[in-house]
Amino acid sequence: MPMIDIQAVSKWYGPQFQVLKDCTTAVEKGEVVVVCGPSGSGKSTLIKCVNALEPFQSGAIHVDGINLQDPSTNLPKLRARIGMVFQHFELFPHLKITENLCLAQEKVLGRSRDEAMTKAMALLERVGLKDHSHKFPGQLSGGQQQRVAIARALAMDPIAMLFDEPTSALDPEMITEVLDVMVELAREGMTMMVVTHEMGFARKVAHRVIFMDKGEIIEDRPKEEFFGTPRSERAQVFLSKILAH
Amino acid sequence: MFSGFDFDVIWRSLPYLFWDGMSFTLMLTALSALGGLVLGTLLALMRLSNMRVLGAIATGYVNLMRSLPLVLVIFWFYFLVPYLGQMITGSERPLVVGAFSSALITFTLFEAAYFSEIMRAGIQSIPKGQVSAGYALGLTYRQVTGYIVLPQALRNMLPVILTQTIVLFQDTSLVYVLSITDFLGAASKVAQRDGRLIEMYLFAALVYFLISFAASRLVRALQAKTAIIR
């Protein structure tokens, strides 16, 4: 049974505009899947459906065997087991870095302050930001904030991690520091679904690449095949555009 | 120019003016601001909720309160609350509600409408991604609201909330119509008793001005301090 199972998911905004068309794919345990495609192709929407931040009208998504749309599913409980990293970091600006990492550990997992703090400090050390633990998010650079956001998600001991364009709001010189953390995570065997344009990252650690356009999954193939000879013309055009420089 | 005036009357009545009058005014201001903020926040959350009925109730309430003159509301509550209390408790006579309680209930209910608009703006100023991030961590609606949205909304809106409280401080003088001894009521009683209307009303205006002015300067100083670094 795959960790994330997406079956024929369709989503409309209003009666006319369809953002997702019959999307079907799966992410196995320990697998790293990169989702790419032109902007507006629905890749961010798809990843947000996986932890039910976005509703969808038809199809089904199972995470670790649990059906998202089953009314008896405890969504907060399920979401707590899936880490999510956002394009704009979304650290809580009124809380210190440590409080950002401890809040959900204490309120959702019921850990004690000490326990949560120990976990937080270990993770901050891992992303190289232990010295900044007492600061507020606004005092850190974009790259540092995104590393904190990854640490915050990891603090919940997630079974899978979702990344929604984690580097596209960053200045170029900060992208590497974030990707390094993600590469390390991938090599440790974390199940990851990553929406990104960073093809270097995809080549390095992805097992599979999904290419989306206009709400459809056009290609869903092992990395080597995808970068070797993309079958669809649209994927070829897309790749030639991002890899041109 | 001031030869016909007797400013000594102010000096003589100071303890009465401040000990009886001003303490009532300040107490009423503080408590109804607090009550209005709590109720107003609830109304704002109702208006922003997905539940249509709750939203409609809150919208109706806010629009009603904002369309009525405060003096009318004060009168109505003063005369109505005893009878409402009688209906609820089922006693034989109209319930005796003290002037302070009556004024407090009125101002809390009235100010809640204004605070709810302030809090609604404050809540809407929080980026949606903040809420998503909270949910993604497994927090519930209540937790996201209590730990993430409201603390930031309050911080962002603090200057506006305090400014509204200064307006409220001035508005509390309207309880004068119920012959309550707030600061203006006390000043007015002394003025009538001693026939020193000009002196007392001048002094009352000066006190209201000084307190309001000093408070708004304080708010400005505070504004810089409480801003969240983003």
Side-chain angles (χ1 to χ4, degrees):
Chain A
M1 183 180 60
M3 186 68 93
I4 300 168
D5 187 31
I6 302 171
Q7 283 297 327
V9 167
S10 292
K11 177 181 169 70
W12 286 263
Y13 284 127
Q16 294 291 324
F17 184 63
Q18 189 168 6
V19 264
L20 294 177
K21 290 176 195 159
D22 219 12
C23 295
T24 299
T25 189
V27 181
E28 298 293 331
K29 189 170 188 295
E31 200 175 22
V32 177
V33 173
V34 162
V35 185
C36 63
S39 62
S41 59
K43 50 199 193 308
S44 284
T45 310
L46 181 67
I47 205 172
K48 281 180 183 152
C49 286
V50 172
N51 65 352
L53 285 180
E54 289 270 2
F56 50 91
Q57 282 81 24
S58 74
I61 296 181
H62 289 79
V63 176
D64 198 25
I66 299 166
N67 186 351
L68 283 189
Q69 287 191 309
D70 189 337
S72 67
T73 297
N74 183 337
L75 278 182
K77 214 168 182 176
L78 183 65
R79 287 187 185 125
R81 300 172 63 209
I82 313 168
M84 177 131 192
V85 175
F86 297 84
Q87 184 176 5
H88 296 288
F89 332 133
E90 304 302 349
L91 294 176
F92 306 130
H94 61 303
L95 300 178
K96 287 184 177 161
I97 300 302
T98 44
E99 292 167 326
N100 263 280
L101 268 73
C102 289
L103 180 69
Q105 289 192 67
E106 289 171 31
K107 305 300 174 193
V108 178
L109 303 180
R111 289 180 184 157
S112 70
R113 173 108 282 211
D114 283 352
E115 236 179 315
M117 204 63 179
T118 311
K119 182 96 195 170
M121 292 312 285
L123 282 164
L124 284 176
E125 177 151 35
R126 181 171 160 186
V127 298
L129 292 168
K130 204 176 183 185
D131 298 339
H132 300 277
S133 61
H134 59 283
K135 291 186 182 168
F136 285 94
Q139 295 169 294
L140 302 185
S141 74
Q144 290 171 327
Q145 289 194 49
Q146 195 60 300
R147 278 144 66 201
V148 171
I150 295 173
R152 180 176 70 178
L154 290 175
M156 304 297 285
D157 293 320
I159 53 171
M161 288 280 284
L162 308 173
F163 293 82
D164 183 13
E165 307 207 28
T167 55
S168 44
L170 294 175
D171 291 333
E173 75 269 23
M174 291 168 184
I175 291 177
T176 323
E177 65 186 61
V178 172
L179 288 180
D180 284 347
V181 173
M182 290 168 60
V183 167
E184 199 190 310
L185 206 56
R187 295 208 164 127
E188 283 167 16
M190 175 63 80
T191 309
M192 291 162 73
M193 193 168 170
V194 187
V195 173
T196 187
H197 293 290
E198 297 295 334
M199 289 302 125
F201 171 80
R203 277 179 202 270
K204 211 186 263 178
V205 292
H207 297 105
R208 268 178 32 238
V209 178
I210 292 174
F211 175 74
M212 288 183 74
D213 192 18
K214 296 182 181 140
E216 278 177 287
I217 293 181
I218 308 283
E219 302 214 23
D220 180 356
R221 300 161 64 202
K223 168 182 64 179
E224 295 78 12
E225 282 181 37
F226 181 78
F227 286 116
T229 48
R231 254 175 241 159
S232 67
E233 206 177 302
R234 278 189 272 182
Q236 283 172 20
V237 172
F238 175 76
L239 275 184
S240 69
K241 273 185 189 158
I242 19 186
L243 300 177
H245 304 286
Chain B
M1 181 190 167
F2 291 118
S3 57
F5 295 122
D6 171 22
F7 284 99
D8 198 43
V9 65
I10 295 167
W11 182 248
R12 287 194 310 267
S13 54
L14 271 186
Y16 175 64
L17 285 177
F18 282 91
W19 198 247
D20 290 30
M22 190 50 89
S23 67
F24 181 99
T25 296
L26 290 178
M27 187 78 98
L28 181 60
T29 305
L31 290 180
S32 46
L34 208 67
L37 187 59
V38 172
L39 186 59
T41 304
L42 281 176
L43 285 169
L45 289 172
M46 282 166 68
R47 285 190 82 169
L48 295 173
S49 79
N50 294 328
M51 280 171 273
R52 290 253 176 94
V53 183
L54 286 183
I57 294 172
T59 309
Y61 178 87
V62 170
N63 286 338
L64 177 72
M65 280 299 177
R66 298 215 307 170
S67 321
L68 292 174
L70 178 51
V71 181
L72 249 181
V73 181
I74 294 173
F75 266 129
W76 271 109
F77 271 97
Y78 192 61
F79 296 126
L80 269 182
V81 167
Y83 290 101
L84 280 177
Q86 183 188 17
M87 264 170 58
I88 292 165
T89 57
S91 69
E92 287 176 19
R93 290 152 188 275
L95 208 66
V96 182
V97 180
F100 183 77
S101 310
S102 174
L104 181 58
I105 294 169
T106 310
F107 277 96
T108 298
L109 293 177
F110 192 79
E111 288 302 314
Y114 289 86
F115 280 125
S116 101
E117 289 297 275
I118 295 172
M119 285 310 290
R120 189 162 70 116
I123 292 167
Q124 283 177 323
S125 75
I126 309 301
K128 268 197 165 171
Q130 289 281 302
V131 177
S132 296
Y135 284 140
L137 285 166
L139 297 172
T140 60
Y141 169 79
R142 276 173 173 229
Q143 290 171 324
V144 168
T145 305
Y147 297 121
I148 296 165
V149 177
L150 288 185
Q152 291 187 62
L154 267 176
R155 288 266 288 267
N156 290 352
M157 289 294 132
L158 193 61
V160 192
I161 290 167
L162 291 176
T163 304
Q164 178 66 27
T165 306
I166 295 170
V167 175
L168 167 64
F169 165 72
Q170 294 159 13
D171 284 352
T172 56
S173 62
L174 283 172
V175 296
Y176 157 80
V177 297
L178 304 179
S179 317
I180 287 174
T181 311
D182 72 318
F183 182 71
L184 185 63
S188 146
K189 277 173 192 164
V190 174
Q192 314 262 353
R193 186 195 65 196
D194 296 356
R196 292 290 168 193
L197 296 152
I198 293 177
E199 292 89 332
M200 289 313 289
Y201 286 134
L202 259 179
F203 179 67
L206 184 72
V207 170
Y208 275 108
F209 171 77
L210 283 180
I211 292 180
S212 301
F213 185 71
S216 42
R217 293 310 286 261
L218 261 173
V219 171
R220 267 169 69 183
L222 203 74
Q223 202 166 358
K225 269 197 171 172
T226 57
I228 300 172
I229 324 161
R230 283 180 191 277

